[in-house]
Amino acid sequence: MTTLVLANEKGGVGKSAIACQLGYYFHDILNKRVLVIDLDHQGNTTRSLTKSGLATVAPVQSHQFLTEPITSVASGAFVLVPSSRELLKLQEQKEWHNRFATNLRECLRAVGASFDMAIIDTNPNPDIRVIAALVVADGVLAPIQLNQEAVHGIGSLRRQVVKIQGTLNPDLRFLGILPNLVEATPFQRENLTQLVTACADLLLTLRDGRPAAFARRTAWPEAQALGIPIWKSKKTSSRDVWSEIRPVFETVAASLEVS
Ligand SMILES: Nc1ncnc2c1ncn2[C@@H]1O[C@H](COP(=O)(O)OP(=O)(O)OP(=O)(O)O)[C@@H](O)[C@H]1O
Ligand SMILES: [Mg+2]
């Protein structure tokens, strides 16, 4: 099983929407067995995937993956380990932090034979949940929004990833920054140009060499609210959105060697 984490301490950058749509993509298009773990107490991924009816909701909650030696989830080719409010209590239990990361690793190892792909959605604000996810992951993808604050904020995630690569998880791969909610304004275009110039090596890059990015499109919140894969939406505009998403998801799958 290959594990991908969606992380960025900025809120509202698309971590959950991309986690859900990637989950559908790996399951529906690549025919992979997918486990989605929602480590965000806000539960946006849990709400959307539950609404979809496509994922089996596991009887265990995601905080238990950190606090207990869970050895099985639910049978099914697309399983959601849902969010809970208990996740909020983990940060204060400092003496257990190492154990939380170890438990998560052991839980994933135990259920790993039943899935090809695990996708972990994380909360904004870097805490033990995000650190534990990075410690156990094979890859991390960082959606951002193109404003100066968010672009500067990516530095701290990058530093955290480098630190974890140097200590607890040398195999962790930084797949890249993925600009999302990009608008066709001169300001945003300028920010994207600056980003490409300043940190081209940190951007997720498509096979044709272009930096990956998603435009702001209403198809995203609509699909998330309905709990559907964007490519299953009946709206004709969704077809254009899907043609924008597909090469990016293909790049993510290829980077993780899951295809
Ligand atoms: N490309 C896009 N175009 C338009 N809306 C988008 C796009 N990507 C995400 N959204 C919407 O933006 C909102 C915020 O996205 P999302 O909840 O995925 O962000 P997040 O990073 O998970 O936020 P948080 O850090 O609070 O968990 C959601 O309503 C989502 O559907
Ligand atoms: Mg979220």
Side-chain angles (χ1 to χ4, degrees):
M1 184 174 75
T2 303
T3 302
L4 172 69
V5 176
L6 277 294
N8 183 349
E9 61 190 65
K10 295 288 170 209
V13 295
K15 296 181 290 294
S16 299
I18 294 169
C20 291
Q21 295 296 325
L22 270 174
Y24 298 135
Y25 172 75
F26 279 108
H27 174 63
D28 186 48
I29 297 199
L30 298 186
N31 289 317
K32 300 297 174 191
R33 298 167 303 165
V34 177
L35 179 68
V36 176
I37 302 167
D38 186 358
L39 286 184
D40 188 353
H41 55 276
Q42 298 178 96
N44 293 329
T45 287
T46 295
R47 255 188 303 284
S48 199
L49 290 183
T50 303
K51 176 97 200 253
S52 79
L54 298 171
T56 304
V57 182
V60 292
Q61 295 179 313
S62 64
H63 71 275
Q64 292 174 280
F65 265 46
L66 288 94
T67 57
E68 295 172 33
I70 301 292
T71 51
S72 65
V73 274
S75 58
F78 190 15
V79 173
L80 166 71
V81 181
S83 151
S84 76
R85 301 299 291 177
E86 294 296 309
L87 287 163
L88 285 168
K89 299 182 184 157
L90 302 177
Q91 182 61 18
E92 67 203 29
Q93 299 172 45
K94 296 259 188 286
E95 70 279 21
W96 290 100
H97 281 190
N98 284 347
R99 189 69 233 169
F100 291 161
T102 308
N103 281 342
L104 183 59
R105 178 181 284 130
E106 285 173 6
C107 290
L108 290 178
R109 213 169 267 159
V111 302
S114 305
F115 299 95
D116 304 303
M117 188 71 210
I119 298 173
I120 305 182
D121 186 22
T122 61
N123 48 299
N125 300 329
D127 66 5
I128 182 59
R129 292 173 273 173
V130 179
I131 292 169
L134 292 173
V135 167
V136 303
D138 298 290
V140 52
L141 182 64
I144 64 160
Q145 247 187 297
L146 287 175
N147 53 52
Q148 282 304 331
E149 198 199 345
V151 171
H152 288 146
I154 207 73
S156 78
L157 173 67
R158 182 70 189 134
R159 279 190 292 280
Q160 195 173 45
V161 167
V162 168
K163 193 169 156 201
I164 288 173
Q165 285 168 330
T167 51
L168 297 163
N169 187 0
D171 297 329
L172 176 63
R173 296 189 38 219
F174 187 73
L175 298 194
I177 297 168
L178 173 54
N180 185 26
L181 293 144
V182 179
E183 295 182 56
T185 60
F187 177 69
Q188 293 237 328
R189 233 176 272 136
E190 172 58 24
N191 274 342
L192 185 56
T193 310
Q194 272 184 25
L195 192 67
V196 172
T197 316
C199 42
D201 54 326
L202 295 184
L203 293 169
L204 180 70
T205 306
L206 301 177
R207 275 183 251 184
D208 62 9
R210 284 182 301 129
F214 293 144
R216 180 187 286 274
R217 309 273 208 167
T218 52
W220 278 90
E222 282 169 5
Q224 285 303 104
L226 292 169
I228 55 168
I230 285 181
W231 54 96
K232 294 262 168 91
S233 166
K234 299 227 164 21
K235 297 208 170 165
T236 43
S237 62
S238 298
R239 249 172 261 145
D240 295 340
V241 181
W242 174 229
S243 64
E244 183 179 275
I245 296 172
R246 185 172 201 147
V248 179
F249 282 8
E250 282 171 355
T251 300
V252 171
S255 306
L256 292 168
E257 291 162 31
V258 180
S259 49

